[in-house]
Amino acid sequence: MTPTQRYTLQQHEGPYAAWPLTSALRLDGQDTGQRVPGFVIDAQYDTPLGALLITSWDCLFEEANDFLLLGSTHRVVARKQLGAPYASYLLHAHWPVDAHTLVLHYQNHLFYTLTALAPAGLWRRAPRLRLRRVWRWRQNARMRASWESLQASLALVGAQGIASQR
């Protein structure tokens, strides 16, 4: 996977509650004619199977992500979601592992791998996305480093909060 920044989403105006559930997708500033879920692109990658977008809803305290694999016409050919009501899935870090796999680091010690899979078998005619939780993240040096970075950031925020209360 190769990081890219070619896609953008339509900006919405007015009260948040009145915004539509999808946003117009733009490529290099030009409208693609497609709409995708979400209001913000948190990350985007080029993969051998198409462009991968990670979108979110910019909703405080109820963060969630949509993972969208786009085909050659910019239509969504595969989609996964990560989120739950009254839960926060705030994306802290992400990085590619290989041409098809991405690591996602959420709060504290919550890690996932997202893999773009090519069509395989008699019945699968379209690519798909597989999202798997990583339970043994401490065995991976990069995941441990990401966790330590997040802990340091949280400690700094905590220290600043205590200092501002004085």
Side-chain angles (χ1 to χ4, degrees):
M1 288 193 186
T2 306
T4 185
Q5 293 192 6
R6 297 185 62 200
Y7 287 95
T8 56
L9 295 181
Q10 156 196 16
Q11 298 298 305
H12 298 284
E13 308 251 340
Y16 181 85
W19 291 2
L21 295 177
T22 60
S23 300
L25 181 65
R26 294 187 175 115
L27 174 65
D28 297 328
Q30 301 296 317
D31 188 11
T32 63
Q34 303 298 323
R35 297 187 68 83
V36 297
F39 304 137
V40 177
I41 296 178
D42 292 328
Q44 51 188 294
Y45 289 88
D46 283 330
T47 78
L49 300 176
L52 174 69
L53 303 182
I54 302 174
T55 64
S56 65
W57 299 92
D58 193 25
C59 183
L60 292 176
F61 308 111
E62 288 191 21
E63 294 86 359
N65 283 132
D66 278 275
F67 307 101
L68 311 168
L69 186 63
L70 306 179
S72 60
T73 61
H74 314 292
R75 289 187 46 217
V76 175
V77 295
R79 178 181 177 190
K80 282 286 183 194
Q81 295 175 290
L82 182 62
Y86 309 109
S88 179
Y89 285 88
L90 183 60
L91 185 59
H92 168 67
H94 51 86
W95 60 89
V97 175
D98 58 35
H100 296 274
T101 305
L102 187 66
V103 170
L104 307 159
H105 180 194
Y106 289 89
Q107 69 269 11
N108 207 5
H109 56 272
L110 193 56
F111 288 90
Y112 287 89
T113 58
L114 178 70
T115 306
L117 300 167
L122 183 61
W123 303 109
R124 296 198 194 262
R125 303 225 185 270
R128 60 191 171 106
L129 295 173
R130 181 178 63 206
L131 187 64
R132 288 198 171 157
R133 174 111 185 244
V134 177
W135 295 98
R136 296 180 183 196
W137 60 270
R138 285 182 175 89
Q139 297 173 358
N140 182 292
R142 181 122 187 226
M143 290 182 191
R144 273 194 326 273
S146 183
W147 179 80
E148 289 166 359
S149 167
L150 178 58
Q151 297 309 305
S153 296
L154 293 174
L156 181 61
V157 168
Q160 289 173 346
I162 291 170
S164 68
Q165 292 177 357
R166 292 182 181 164

